[in-house]
Amino acid sequence: MSHEHVVVVTTTDSEDAARTLAAAAVEERLGACAQIVGPITSVYRWEGAIETDTEWRVEVKTAADRADSLVALLTERHTYDVPEVIVTPVTGGHADYLSWLVDETR
């Protein structure tokens, strides 16, 4: 493939918030597809205390050249002070799907 592909992941505190972020990513053509996984349990350290919360994970598939704009959108629209937003490269996959992914982000 001549294009690079990535998955951008974030978590949020409700299914509604996850749907809002997922829809914005696809509507803005910053992601071809967004999947919502949850509820999940997250355990983390925040301001010196161990916290446990229920969250929903949003996984957005996109072309690598759209990742910076997608990260900016997720960060701007997120309700968390410091949202998790992680970009992971896709090293392979079904060629037709990866072509569709790029087409849908144009």
Side-chain angles (χ1 to χ4, degrees):
M1 296 255 39
S2 61
H3 299 284
E4 294 181 19
H5 312 88
V6 297
V7 177
V8 180
V9 176
T10 191
T11 55
T12 192
D13 61 355
S14 72
E15 186 175 0
D16 285 343
R19 286 177 183 267
T20 297
L21 291 172
V26 175
E27 286 169 5
E28 296 291 324
R29 297 186 92 70
L30 297 177
C33 172
Q35 295 172 320
I36 298 167
V37 180
I40 59 173
T41 301
S42 295
V43 180
Y44 57 95
R45 185 180 312 276
W46 182 251
E47 297 180 346
I50 302 297
E51 303 286 343
T52 301
D53 284 310
T54 300
E55 294 186 299
W56 282 256
R57 184 172 52 238
V58 181
E59 301 172 352
V60 184
K61 286 71 165 191
T62 192
D65 65 349
R66 304 297 274 162
D68 289 343
S69 295
L70 178 56
V71 168
L73 176 125
L74 294 173
T75 303
E76 284 174 13
R77 297 190 184 189
H78 212 289
T79 60
Y80 289 2
D81 292 338
V82 182
E84 170 192 9
V85 182
I86 296 173
V87 179
T88 304
V90 174
T91 60
H94 184 250
D96 290 345
Y97 176 82
L98 296 175
S99 292
W100 170 82
L101 187 153
V102 171
D103 291 347
E104 291 304 312
T105 60
R106 302 299 165 212

